């Protein structure tokens, strides 16, 4: 275990470099990028939104071995130590961050007619490259190859895991309610209205127009009224999406999930170039458990597995650089099904090794054999779940962004000048804008909900 080792750093190893891309934490490389003795220093952010003791315990457990004697996460990841507001982790040299456009794109692949040979002109499907296929495999290993820690199962009914999704969103809404009671919001009506608009998508006028409730006990322009409107709006959305899942997918699969797989949280061996994948399980392909590494497990928890995949699909659209996701990049149904096929193959491979499954569940079956066809109905069913969860994922990260922006107000770092113009994307800011990101993710949620309600 890396935590049991003492490493003496040379003067060259003592250099400190700030790592870009972290939206929740401040990240620093201590040492040289190509040195195996270097470490990653993580200074925690998102105060009050993440249980850091539980996060560190989860990460330490993930860095242990699975029932099959292998680590579920990359071999190079480990916890070195913990301090008050942060953690020290091992550094994996020779890796680069993935890019949501360059690495998540698809290619047109010709397929044979009815699986009987003889390529048909223009008979093509969209498929992912090997990197994304490996991400599918690694998510399956996390969901099905990692034994859920016993401390997360206390009080849980035997045989049925309970997703933390609803509990987390509810806690964030409560955190927002707390922040809205701060004196900065109490004294600045324009700030209250700005956050109301960012949260609900409606402008709040002085006469109360745009508000959804009547409250005769207080003025419609008062801090209490506007805060209550925001909290009630978000609580109503949470209640609606939870009932939607409970009614339509009461048996949706649940497992231990990452919950934040995005391009910045995927490391790729810098020497590996884009290449075709055979779709088989063997690690002789360029993208495998050694060359691809999922990192940053701070949001991991027991959750709906299709939510985890829906999050990854949403992250195809970017937005972690400028706060404006490009939903034209959202993967097609073809690509989603290709991802789910690779995911289910790996799941069945894990099951065959763990429970002595038969050859029909082995992940090495050919794509044209009957065992793959047998999972086509399951792929369709899971893809329909993904469609719902990608909407819920936008609600999740939208609330996250609003809460983070409100926290900036509370601690005095929120930039008031041109705040609405930045939020609406009318001007560009030099720094990351939580409010703009939160507003854009909530707009996506409203768009998806509107389309669903019209169907």
């Amino acid at each position: 275990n890396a935590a049991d080792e003492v490493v003496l750093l040379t003067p060259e190893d003592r250099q400190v470099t700030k790592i870009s891309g972290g939206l929740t934490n401040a990240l620093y490389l201590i040492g040289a990028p190509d040195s195996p003795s270097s470490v990653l220093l993580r200074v925690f952010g998102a105060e009050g939104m993440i249980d850091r003791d539980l996060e560190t315990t989860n990460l330490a457990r993930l860095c242990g071995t699975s029932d099959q004697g292998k680590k579920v996460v990359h071999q190079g990841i480990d916890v070195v130590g913990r301090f008050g507001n942060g953690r020290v982790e091992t550094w994996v040299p020779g890796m680069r961050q993935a890019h949501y456009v360059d690495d998540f794109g698809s290619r047109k692949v010709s397929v044979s007619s009815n699986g009987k040979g003889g390529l048909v002109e223009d008979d093509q499907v969209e498929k992912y490259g090997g990197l994304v296929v490996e991400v599918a495999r690694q998510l399956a290993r996390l969901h099905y190859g990692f034994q859920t820690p016993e401390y997360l199962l206390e009080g849980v009914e035997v045989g049925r895991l309970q997703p933390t999704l609803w509990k987390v969103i509810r806690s964030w809404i409560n955190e927002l309610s707390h922040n809205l009671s701060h004196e900065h919001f109490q004294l600045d009506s324009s700030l209250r209205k700005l956050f109301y608009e960012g949260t609900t998508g409606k402008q709040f006028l002085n006469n109360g127009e745009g508000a959804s409730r009547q409250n005769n006990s207080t003025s419609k322009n008062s801090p209490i009224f506007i805060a209550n409107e925001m909290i009630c709006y978000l609580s109503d959305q949470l209640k609606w999406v939870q009932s939607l899942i409970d009614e339509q997918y009461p048996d949706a699969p649940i497992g231990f999930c990452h919950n934040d797989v995005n391009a910045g949280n995927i490391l790729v061996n810098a020497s590996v170039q884009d290449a075709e994948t055979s779709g088989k399980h063997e690690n002789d392909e360029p993208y495998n458990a050694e060359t691809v590494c999922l990192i940053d497990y701070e949001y991991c928890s027991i959750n709906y597995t299709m939510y985890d995949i829906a999050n990854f699909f949403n992250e195809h659209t970017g937005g972690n650089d400028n706060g404006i996701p490009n939903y034209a990049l959202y993967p097609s149904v073809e690509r989603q099904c290709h991802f789910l096929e690779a995911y289910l193959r790996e799941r069945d491979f894990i099951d065959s090794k763990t429970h002595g499954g038969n050859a029909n569940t082995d992940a090495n079956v050919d794509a044209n054999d009957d065992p793959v066809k047998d999972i086509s109905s399951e792929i369709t069913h899971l893809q329909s779940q993904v469609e719902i969860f990608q909407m819920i994922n936008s609600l999740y990260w939208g609330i996250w962004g609003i809460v983070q922006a409100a926290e900036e107000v509370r601690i005095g770092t929120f930039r008031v000048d041109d705040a609405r113009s930045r939020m609406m994307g009318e001007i560009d800011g030099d720094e990351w804008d939580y409010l703009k990101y939160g507003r854009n993710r909530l707009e996506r949620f409203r768009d998806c909900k509107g389309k669903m309600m019209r169907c």
Side-chain angles (χ1 to χ4, degrees):
N1 188 304
D4 298 329
E5 300 176 2
V6 176
V7 178
L8 298 178
L9 299 180
T10 65
E12 292 76 15
D13 288 332
R14 295 171 190 165
Q15 62 186 22
V16 179
T17 306
K18 184 172 176 54
I19 305 298
S20 62
L23 299 181
T24 300
N25 308 303
L27 305 174
Y28 301 90
L29 167 63
I30 311 298
D34 57 351
S35 172
S37 63
S38 297
V39 295
L40 179 71
L41 178 69
R42 182 185 301 271
V43 180
F44 297 147
E47 181 180 352
M49 298 183 71
I50 300 172
D51 184 332
R52 296 299 186 174
D53 291 333
L54 181 59
E55 174 207 348
T56 300
T57 302
N58 286 339
L59 180 59
R61 184 64 65 91
L62 281 164
C63 291
T65 57
S66 69
D67 291 340
Q68 301 176 44
K70 296 181 179 179
K71 290 176 66 171
V72 174
V73 299
H74 192 277
Q75 292 291 326
I77 296 180
D78 211 340
V79 177
V80 177
R82 167 75 194 272
F83 55 94
N85 65 330
R87 188 171 60 240
V88 180
E89 304 167 16
T90 51
W91 172 260
V92 185
M95 307 291 269
R96 65 171 178 86
Q97 285 184 320
H99 190 272
Y100 69 96
V101 175
D102 297 340
D103 293 308
F104 293 174
S106 65
R107 53 171 61 90
K108 286 288 186 178
V109 179
S110 297
V111 295
S112 58
S113 177
N114 298 322
K116 297 179 181 179
L119 295 181
V120 178
E121 187 176 0
D122 296 328
D123 188 8
Q124 297 183 322
V125 296
E126 278 192 289
K127 288 200 172 186
Y128 280 112
L131 171 58
V132 179
V133 170
E134 178 57 27
V135 171
R137 292 171 178 154
Q138 293 199 19
L139 279 180
R141 292 168 202 151
L142 179 63
H143 296 165
Y144 295 98
F146 175 64
Q147 185 175 2
T148 303
E150 68 286 346
Y151 54 82
L152 296 179
L153 301 176
E154 296 178 1
V156 175
E157 180 183 349
V158 176
R160 180 60 178 173
L161 297 176
Q162 296 299 315
T164 60
L165 178 62
W166 318 123
K167 179 182 178 181
V168 169
I169 295 178
R170 195 172 294 111
S171 71
W172 289 356
I173 294 175
N174 292 338
E175 182 72 14
L176 177 61
S177 179
H178 171 72
N179 285 336
L180 291 175
S181 66
H182 192 269
E183 62 179 354
H184 289 321
F185 283 107
Q186 299 291 311
L187 299 175
D188 191 338
S189 62
S190 62
L191 197 60
R192 296 194 298 271
K193 294 175 184 178
L194 173 69
F195 272 73
Y196 175 87
E197 182 178 357
T199 301
T200 67
K202 299 178 291 186
Q203 291 192 42
F204 194 100
L205 306 179
N206 288 333
N207 61 5
E209 183 181 345
S212 59
R213 289 171 174 73
Q214 296 296 320
N215 189 333
N216 296 325
S217 64
T218 185
S219 165
K220 291 181 175 63
N221 193 30
S222 73
I224 295 177
F225 181 85
I226 296 180
N228 285 344
E229 283 289 312
M230 293 171 59
I231 299 305
C232 287
Y233 170 81
L234 293 176
S235 298
D236 286 348
Q237 307 315 309
L238 173 59
K239 182 179 179 180
W240 180 73
V241 296
Q242 184 172 359
S243 64
L244 189 67
I245 294 299
D246 290 344
E247 292 170 6
Q248 294 193 18
Y249 301 107
D251 297 321
I254 297 171
F256 193 83
C257 297
H258 186 288
N259 295 320
D260 190 24
V261 178
N262 60 66
N265 288 340
I266 302 172
L267 300 183
V268 187
N269 189 296
S271 65
V272 175
Q273 301 298 317
D274 187 32
E276 296 284 349
T277 176
S278 68
K280 297 182 183 295
H281 177 269
E282 291 90 345
N283 282 339
D284 57 358
E285 295 176 357
Y287 297 106
N288 54 57
E290 296 299 320
T291 61
V292 178
C293 174
L294 300 185
I295 61 172
D296 286 5
Y297 288 82
E298 59 203 354
Y299 294 98
C300 68
S301 69
I302 298 174
N303 205 357
Y304 297 103
T305 56
M306 291 305 104
Y307 173 89
D308 213 6
I309 290 175
N311 178 87
F312 178 58
F313 289 163
N314 269 335
E315 293 295 346
H316 283 49
T317 67
N320 291 337
D321 47 1
N322 60 3
I324 307 176
N326 178 7
Y327 291 105
L329 298 175
Y330 189 79
S332 66
V333 172
E334 278 185 332
R335 292 166 68 193
Q336 293 180 46
C337 290
H338 181 218
F339 184 95
L340 288 169
E341 179 184 325
Y343 172 84
L344 291 177
R345 285 193 187 193
E346 186 68 19
R347 179 204 65 182
D348 291 345
F349 178 83
I350 293 169
D351 183 68
S352 71
K353 296 299 183 184
T354 304
H355 302 107
N358 56 48
N360 286 345
T361 62
D362 194 290
N364 292 320
V365 294
D366 185 77
N368 292 322
D369 290 342
D370 286 341
V372 175
K373 292 183 180 179
D374 290 341
I375 65 172
S376 60
S377 60
E378 185 175 7
I379 290 175
T380 301
H381 179 66
L382 293 180
Q383 194 276 328
S384 67
Q385 292 184 30
V386 168
E387 281 301 297
I388 304 295
F389 280 119
Q390 65 90 12
M391 173 182 68
I392 299 172
N393 179 254
S394 290
L395 176 66
Y396 176 97
W397 288 117
I399 295 175
W400 175 87
I402 299 296
V403 174
Q404 296 272 58
E407 174 66 13
E408 288 183 326
V409 172
R410 188 186 69 82
I411 64 177
T413 60
F414 183 80
R415 294 173 297 154
V416 178
D417 293 343
D418 299 320
R420 187 180 184 279
S421 295
R422 292 196 311 273
M423 181 183 75
M424 301 302 293
E426 297 169 353
I427 61 174
D428 294 327
D430 296 331
E431 300 178 7
W432 170 258
D433 196 308
Y434 286 110
L435 186 59
K436 177 170 69 171
Y437 179 76
R439 182 255 178 195
N440 285 332
R441 292 303 300 265
L442 288 173
E443 279 297 299
R444 172 68 170 182
F445 165 76
R446 285 186 280 269
D447 288 345
C448 293
K449 180 181 179 181
K451 292 176 182 177
M452 182 176 298
M453 300 294 285
R454 290 192 293 271
C455 292

